[in-house]
C-alpha cells in the first residue's frame, strides 16, 4: 500500500489560479500525484475542487500556473489535449449524451471507424460489451439510450470510458454521490484495482470516511485556496474536519 | 452498478415482436396517417388524387422543401433553429438568376445557351448559400448570438438583399439546361428510371445484408430471416412501384413533337413516352441517402446528435461544438442553394417572393417528421415524409377546391396536432423525461 514518493510525480499542478469575474475559484493552488497513489480532494461546497480538476481535464484554461506530467511541462487547452496525456475524467455530472447508447457514449470523440472512415457501431458495441463484462457483468442495456439507465448504470458507463482508454491519471469527481451502498463498494473495489495497476487517481468526495479508507493522501481546499496536503496515516478524521471547516492545518499549527 | 432485476447473467430478456423486427412504431404511425390522408382525398376526388399525374406533381412540388428539411433536422437536433431558409433560398436564386442572365452573357460575353452558363450559375448559388449558412453558424457558434435571432435577422436581410440583387425584377426566361432541374422539364425517361430503380434495389439489398452480417459477426441478435426478407420485399416493391407510376405518366404528345422537332426529326405516328424519374427527385434521393449516412455512420453525425443530447458532455468529450455549429449551418445553407435551383427551375423564373414562408414549411416538415425542438432527436426520412404529408395535404385540398386561407388554417392545425400526438406517444413509450 505504501506509495513511493521519491521519484518525479506522475502529475504536478503548480501555482494554479483561475477567477470567474470577481470569484477566485482557485487561488495559487499546488497539488501533485504519484503513480499508484490516490489523492483525496476535500473541501466544502464551492471550495474550488471541481474547478481545479476541470483545469486538469481541459474544460477550463487556468489564468496562471503550470501543469507537469512526469516532470515535463504540458499545455492543456482543451479536453482533447488532456486525453492525449492519458488524463481521463469522470465528471460530477457524468457528462453523458442522454440520447445515445452506451457504446456511442463510451467512444464519444474517439469513435472506432471502418476502413472507409465510417463509424463502426458493431465493433464499438462489441468492445463495450467486453469492458462492461469486466466492470459490471450485470449490465445489459446496450441498445437503449443512456437516458433509460439507472444512476449506477450511467456511472459504470462513465467509468468504463476512462478505463477503456488506458487512463494513467484518473479524475473522479464525486463518483459515488448518486450510488447505493452496493454500487459504492464496487467503485471502491475498482479504485483499488486501478491503483494497483499504477494509475494516479484524484478522488473528490464529501465522505471523509470513504476518503480515509481509499486514499493515500488528502488535500483540502477552502475558498479556492489550498489548506494543506497530508498523508492519511498522519492525520485523524477530526484533523481533516477542522481543515475543511476552519481552513487551518492543525499539524502545521502545532509544529 | 446493478441492473434491472430479472435479467440474470447469460439470459437474453424476451423481446417483443415489434422490438425483434426493429420496426420504428413512430414511422409506422406517420405512414398510417399518410395512407389515411391519401385514401380520403382519393375517395373525395374520385381517384384523381392517386393518378400518375398527380403523384408526379406532388413529388416534384415536395422536393424543394424536403431538401431543406433534411438540413433543418441537423439544425434542430443541435438545439438551434434556422428561420432564414426561405430568404436564403431567394438570395441563392437571385444570384443564380443574375449570373445566368446578366453577368455571364453581358459581363463575359458568353452567348445565351452556352454550356458553361448552367454549371457556373449553379456553383455560384451553392457557394453563396454555403457562405451565408457558415456566417450564420459563426455568429451563433462563436459569438454566442442565439440562432433564433441570427436567422430572424437573416430572414429580413437576405430577402431584401436578394431584392436589390435583381433590382426587384422577376428574372425569366432561364437557361435551358438549368430548367432540367425543375421536375417535368428534366426527367430520365422510362429506361434510365428502371436502370436506377434496379440499381437502388441492389444497393439496398447489399446494405441490409451487410448490416446483418456485421451484427451476426459480433454475435448480436438479428431479426428472424423471414422478417428481414419481408421488410426488404416491401422496400423493393415500394421502389419499383413508385418507378412504374412515374414511368406511366406520359409526356403530352404536343411536347413530344416539339422535342423531336428540336432534334430535327419528326415524331412517328402513335409514339408515346413516359416521364420517369425527375432529376430533381433523383437529387432529393441522393441528398436523403447522403444525409442519412452522415447522421448515422459518420463522426460528424455522431457529434451532431451528441451535442444535441448534451452540449456539455460533447464539449468535455473533446468535440469542438462551435465549429460543429458552423458546419451544420453551412450544410443548411448549401441545401438552401440546392433548393433554390430546384425551385426556380420548376417555376421557370426567379421572382422576389420565391421561397416566401418556406422557413415555416421546412420547420414544420422536420417537426412533423419527429424532430424534437429540445434537440438530440430526429430522422432524415421523417423530415422528408413530413414534407410529403404537408404537400399532399395542400395539393389535395387544392384539388377539392378548399380556399387558400382555409388550407393554411388546416396546415397550421395539423402541425400542432402532429406534435401533440407525438408528445403523448413519447410520454407513453417513456422516451421523454
Ligand atoms: N463556470 C463558472 N462560472 C462562474 N463561477 C464559477 C464557475 N464554475 C465555478 N464557479 C465558482 O467557483 C467556485 C468553485 O466552484 P467549484 O464547482 O469548483 O466548487 P466545488 O468545490 O466543486 O464544490 P462542490 O463540492 O459543491 O462540487 C464557486 O464559487 C462557484 O460558484
Ligand atoms: Mg464540485
Amino acid at each position: 500500500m505504501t506509495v513511493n514518493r521519491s521519484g518525479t510525480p506522475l502529475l504536478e499542478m503548480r501555482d494554479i489560479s483561475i477567477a470567474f469575474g470577481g470569484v477566485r475559484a482557485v487561488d495559487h493552488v499546488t497539488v501533485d500525484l504519484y503513480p499508484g497513489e490516490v489523492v483525496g480532494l476535500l473541501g466544502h461546497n464551492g471550495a474550488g475542487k471541481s474547478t481545479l480538476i476541470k483545469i486538469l481535464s481541459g474544460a477550463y484554461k487556468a489564468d496562471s500556473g503550470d501543469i507537469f506530467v512526469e516532470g515535463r511541462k504540458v499545455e492543456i487547452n482543451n479536453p482533447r489535449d488532456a486525453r492525449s496525456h492519458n488524463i481521463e475524467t469522470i465528471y460530477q455530472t457524468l457528462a453523458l449524451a442522454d440520447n445515445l447508447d452506451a457504446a456511442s457514449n463510451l467512444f464519444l470523440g474517439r469513435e472506432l471507424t471502418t476502413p472507409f472512415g465510417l463509424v463502426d457501431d458493431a465493433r464499438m458495441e462489441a468492445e463495450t460489451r467486453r469492458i462492461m463484462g469486466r466492470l459490471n457483468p450485470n449490465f445489459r442495456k446496450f441498445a437503449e439510450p443512456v437516458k433509460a439507465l439507472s444512476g449506477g448504470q450511467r456511472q459504470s458507463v462513465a467509468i468504463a470510458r476512462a478505463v477503456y482508454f488506458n487512463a494513467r491519471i484518473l479524475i473522479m469527481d464525486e463518483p459515488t454521490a448518486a450510488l447505493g451502498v452496493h454500487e459504492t463498494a464496487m467503485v471502491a473495489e475498482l479504485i483499488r484495482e486501478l491503483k494497483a495497476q499504477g494509475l494516479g487517481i484524484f478522488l473528490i468526495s464529501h465522505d471523509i470516511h470513504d476518503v480515509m479508507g481509499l486514499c493515500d493522501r488528502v488535500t483540502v481546499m477552502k475558498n479556492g485556496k489550498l489548506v494543506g496536503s497530508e498523508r492519511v496515516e498522519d492525520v485523524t478524521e477530526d484533523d481533516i474536519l477542522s481543515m475543511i471547516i476552519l481552513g487551518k492545518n492543525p499539524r502545521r499549527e502545532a509544529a | 452498478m446493478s441492473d434491472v432485476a430479472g435479467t440474470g447473467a447469460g439470459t437474453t430478456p424476451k423481446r417483443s415482436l415489434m422490438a425483434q423486427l426493429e420496426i420504428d412504431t413512430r414511422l409506422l404511425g406517420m405512414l398510417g396517417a399518410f395512407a389515411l390522408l391519401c385514401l380520403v382525398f382519393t375517395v373525395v376526388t374520385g381517384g384523381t388524387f392517386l393518378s400518375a399525374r398527380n403523384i408526379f406533381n406532388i413529388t416534384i412540388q415536395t422536393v424543394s422543401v424536403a431538401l431543406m428539411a433534411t438540413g433543418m433536422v441537423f439544425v434542430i437536433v443541435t438545439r438551434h433553429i434556422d428561420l432564414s431558409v426561405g430568404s436564403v433560398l431567394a438570395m441563392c436564386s437571385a444570384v443564380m438568376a443574375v449570373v445566368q442572365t446578366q453577368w455571364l452573357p453581358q459581363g463575359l460575353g458568353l452567348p445565351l445557351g452556352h454550356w458553361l452558363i448552367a454549371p457556373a450559375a449553379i456553383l455560384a448559388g451553392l457557394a453563396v448559400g454555403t457562405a451565408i449558412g457558415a456566417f450564420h453558424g459563426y455568429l451563433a457558434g462563436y459569438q454566442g448570438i442565439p440562432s433564433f435571432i441570427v436567422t430572424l435577422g437573416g430572414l429580413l436581410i437576405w430577402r431584401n438583399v436578394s431584392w436589390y440583387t435583381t433590382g426587384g425584377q422577376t428574372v425569366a426566361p432561364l437557361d435551358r439546361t438549368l430548367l432540367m432541374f425543375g421536375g417535368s422539364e428534366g426527367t430520365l425517361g422510362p429506361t434510365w428510371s428502371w436502370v436506377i430503380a434496379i440499381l437502388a434495389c441492389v444497393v439496398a439489398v447489399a446494405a441490409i445484408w451487410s448490416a446483418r452480417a456485421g451484427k451476426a459477426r459480433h454475435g448480436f441478435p438479428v431479426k428472424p430471416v423471414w422478417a428481414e426478407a419481408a421488410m426488404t420485399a416491401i422496400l423493393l416493391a415500394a421502389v419499383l412501384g413508385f418507378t412504374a407510376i412515374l414511368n406511366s405518366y406520359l409526356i403530352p404528345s404536343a411536347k413530344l413533337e416539339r422535342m423531336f422537332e428540336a432534334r430535327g426529326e419528326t415524331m412517328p405516328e402513335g409514339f408515346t413516352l413516359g416521364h420517369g424519374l425527375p432529376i430533381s427527385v433523383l437529387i432529393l434521393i441522393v441528398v436523403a441517402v447522403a444525409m442519412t449516412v452522415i447522421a448515422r455512420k459518420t463522426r460528424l453525425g455522431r457529434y451532431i446528435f451528441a451535442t444535441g443530447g448534451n452540449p456539455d458532455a460533447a464539449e468535455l468529450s473533446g468535440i469542438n461544438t462551435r465549429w460543429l455549429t458552423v458546419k451544420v449551418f453551412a450544410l443548411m445553407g448549401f441545401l438552401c442553394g440546392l433548393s433554390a435551383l430546384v425551385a426556380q427551375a420548376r417555376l421557370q423564373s426567379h421572382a422576389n417572393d420565391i421561397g416566401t414562408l418556406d422557413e415555416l414549411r421546412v420547420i414544420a416538415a422536420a417537426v412533423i417528421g419527429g424532430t424534437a425542438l429540445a434537440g438530440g432527436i430526429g430522422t432524415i426520412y421523417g423530415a422528408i415524409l413530413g414534407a410529403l404529408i404537408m404537400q399532399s395535404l395542400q395539393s389535395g385540398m387544392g384539388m377539392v377546391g378548399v380556399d387558400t386561407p382555409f388550407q393554411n388554417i388546416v396546415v397550421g392545425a395539423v402541425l400542432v396536432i402532429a406534435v401533440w400526438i407525438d408528445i403523448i406517444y413519447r410520454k407513453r413509450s417513456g422516451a421523454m423525461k
Side-chain angles (χ1 to χ4, degrees):
Chain A
M1 272 300 268
T2 50
V3 176
N4 177 8
R5 296 197 186 85
S6 58
T8 34
L10 179 57
L11 171 87
E12 188 182 0
M13 297 179 78
R14 199 180 289 168
D15 210 19
I16 303 283
S17 296
I18 189 172
F20 297 110
V23 184
R24 293 189 164 186
V26 175
D27 198 1
H28 298 286
V29 171
T30 298
V31 290
D32 57 5
L33 183 66
Y34 286 84
E37 186 181 37
V38 182
V39 171
L41 209 48
L42 294 172
H44 56 85
N45 291 117
K49 310 178 295 288
S50 294
T51 307
L52 179 68
I53 58 106
K54 277 185 179 166
I55 291 170
L56 181 56
S57 62
Y60 297 147
K61 177 102 180 70
D63 295 338
S64 66
D66 298 312
I67 299 174
F68 299 85
V69 174
E70 291 180 325
R72 277 187 309 113
K73 186 168 167 352
V74 296
E75 285 294 326
I76 297 180
N77 293 317
N78 54 49
R80 261 163 298 155
D81 290 347
R83 286 176 162 201
S84 73
H85 293 109
N86 293 69
I87 299 169
E88 294 286 337
T89 313
I90 296 159
Y91 291 97
Q92 197 166 3
T93 50
L94 289 185
L96 299 176
D98 277 341
N99 54 338
L100 302 183
D101 60 16
S104 303
N105 268 293
L106 201 152
F107 286 93
L108 191 56
R110 289 179 287 206
E111 288 75 11
L112 301 178
T113 51
T114 64
F116 307 111
L118 301 178
V119 295
D120 192 342
D121 284 311
R123 195 148 63 92
M124 289 195 282
E125 187 176 335
E127 290 292 293
T128 307
R129 283 175 187 262
R130 199 171 56 74
I131 185 115
M132 286 309 232
R134 212 182 101 203
L135 296 178
N136 182 4
N138 289 325
F139 191 91
R140 284 280 173 287
K141 294 193 166 176
F142 292 99
E144 282 92 337
V146 297
K147 185 190 287 175
L149 270 50
S150 74
Q153 291 165 343
R154 293 164 59 88
Q155 189 73 50
S156 59
V157 174
I159 293 177
R161 177 160 62 180
V163 173
Y164 180 86
F165 288 100
N166 300 319
R168 278 193 309 160
I169 298 163
L170 182 59
I171 303 165
M172 302 175 109
D173 196 348
E174 308 199 25
T176 57
L179 302 187
V181 185
H182 179 62
E183 289 82 2
T184 304
M186 278 188 74
V187 172
E189 192 47 50
L190 186 70
I191 290 176
R192 288 197 188 92
E193 191 187 316
L194 296 174
K195 169 183 158 65
Q197 290 171 18
L199 274 77
I201 300 174
F202 273 125
L203 176 64
I204 300 182
S205 175
H206 285 287
D207 186 337
I208 297 182
H209 192 71
D210 237 23
V211 170
M212 293 294 274
L214 279 171
C215 297
D216 303 293
R217 252 193 308 156
V218 288
T219 294
V220 178
M221 292 177 69
K222 184 176 167 74
N223 297 335
K225 292 199 172 64
L226 183 72
V227 176
S229 190
E230 297 295 335
R231 293 187 302 176
V232 284
E233 53 265 39
D234 297 342
V235 285
T236 63
E237 279 190 28
D238 285 344
D239 292 338
I240 297 176
L241 264 177
S242 77
M243 284 167 81
I244 295 172
I245 297 165
L246 303 172
K248 288 193 186 125
N249 188 339
R251 273 169 40 89
R252 296 281 177 268
E253 303 275 298
Chain B
M1 314 219 152
S2 65
D3 212 306
V4 281
T7 58
T11 62
T12 353
K14 271 217 172 60
R15 304 197 305 157
S16 73
L17 185 65
M18 290 302 249
Q20 267 190 54
L21 300 186
E22 292 170 33
I23 292 174
D24 178 352
T25 41
R26 208 182 169 287
L27 173 65
L28 218 57
M30 278 179 67
L31 285 173
F34 183 48
L36 185 70
L37 189 144
C38 291
L39 190 74
V40 169
F41 280 126
T42 307
V43 170
V44 178
T45 59
T48 341
F49 185 78
L50 278 192
S51 65
R53 185 190 136 134
N54 196 45
I55 290 178
F56 183 92
N57 282 336
I58 289 180
T59 310
I60 60 173
Q61 284 161 2
T62 305
V63 173
S64 171
V65 165
L67 281 172
M68 292 191 282
T70 64
M72 190 63 81
V73 171
F74 286 177
V75 171
I76 298 179
V77 163
T78 51
R79 303 191 178 185
H80 289 289
I81 194 77
D82 193 338
L83 298 174
S84 70
V85 294
S87 297
V88 175
L89 182 150
M91 186 66 218
C92 297
S93 177
V95 168
M96 286 193 280
V98 293
V99 167
Q100 63 188 292
T101 58
Q102 293 169 25
W103 297 358
L104 290 182
Q106 287 156 31
L108 288 181
L110 288 184
L112 283 181
H114 191 277
W115 65 270
L116 201 62
I117 288 180
I122 293 169
L123 275 182
L126 294 177
V128 165
T130 310
I132 293 175
F135 182 57
H136 287 169
Y138 165 79
L139 292 179
Y142 283 88
Q143 300 306 324
I145 309 172
S147 54
F148 186 95
I149 300 300
V150 171
T151 58
L152 184 59
L155 170 102
L156 290 167
I157 293 168
W158 301 118
R159 167 76 50 199
N160 293 291
V161 174
S162 86
W163 193 93
Y164 281 113
T165 307
T166 60
Q169 283 167 347
T170 298
V171 182
L174 301 178
D175 182 81
R176 294 212 61 78
T177 319
L178 200 134
L179 290 182
M180 306 251 290
F181 293 92
S184 52
E185 295 303 310
T187 56
L188 295 176
T191 315
W192 279 108
S193 300
W194 281 124
V195 169
I196 286 176
I198 288 166
L199 221 59
C201 290
V202 172
V203 171
V205 170
I208 292 172
W209 202 83
S210 87
R212 189 182 170 86
K215 279 188 178 175
R217 195 164 53 240
H218 289 101
F220 303 156
V222 289
K223 286 183 228 179
V225 178
W226 65 265
E228 194 96 74
M231 301 276 270
T232 311
I234 292 172
L235 185 70
L236 298 193
V239 171
L240 297 175
F242 180 60
T243 311
I245 291 172
L246 294 181
N247 280 342
S248 74
Y249 173 39
L250 299 179
I251 300 177
S253 58
K255 189 167 155 192
L256 267 181
E257 246 169 84
R258 266 185 279 123
M259 285 162 69
F260 272 92
E261 269 168 28
R263 275 184 282 158
E265 298 167 30
T266 45
M267 189 172 84
E269 197 62 32
F271 181 87
T272 61
L273 187 67
H275 276 90
L277 193 64
I279 293 172
S280 63
V281 176
L282 187 62
I283 291 176
L284 175 61
I285 293 170
V286 170
V287 166
V289 171
M291 293 292 278
T292 304
V293 169
I294 289 175
R296 300 220 171 145
K297 286 284 156 200
T298 66
R299 288 192 161 156
L300 174 64
R302 193 56 50 87
Y303 297 167
I304 287 171
F305 280 84
T307 303
N310 185 343
D312 296 331
E315 189 79 48
L316 292 173
S317 299
I319 296 167
N320 188 342
T321 51
R322 298 166 168 211
W323 180 227
L324 188 75
T325 306
V326 174
K327 286 191 211 169
V328 166
F329 275 91
L331 186 57
M332 182 75 251
F334 174 84
L335 290 168
C336 290
L338 210 52
S339 286
L341 169 65
V342 171
Q344 74 165 217
R346 186 170 73 79
L347 301 170
Q348 309 207 348
S349 68
H350 163 84
N352 283 321
D353 67 344
I354 193 169
T356 301
L357 289 187
D358 266 8
E359 53 282 341
L360 301 184
R361 293 195 190 97
V362 168
I363 293 169
V367 169
I368 289 178
T371 309
L373 282 171
I377 299 172
T379 58
I380 302 297
Y381 61 73
I384 293 175
L385 196 52
L388 190 60
I389 288 176
M390 292 218 315
Q391 186 59 49
S392 306
L393 196 61
Q394 208 136 31
S395 304
M397 285 191 293
M399 288 172 82
V400 179
V402 178
D403 309 335
T404 313
F406 193 68
Q407 283 184 26
N408 289 334
I409 292 174
V410 171
V411 171
V414 165
L415 172 63
V416 175
I417 292 170
V419 173
W420 182 45
I421 292 175
D422 196 38
I423 288 172
I424 294 173
Y425 164 79
R426 283 187 197 177
K427 265 189 197 149
R428 287 258 172 88
S429 66
M432 215 144 113
K433 268 192 264 194

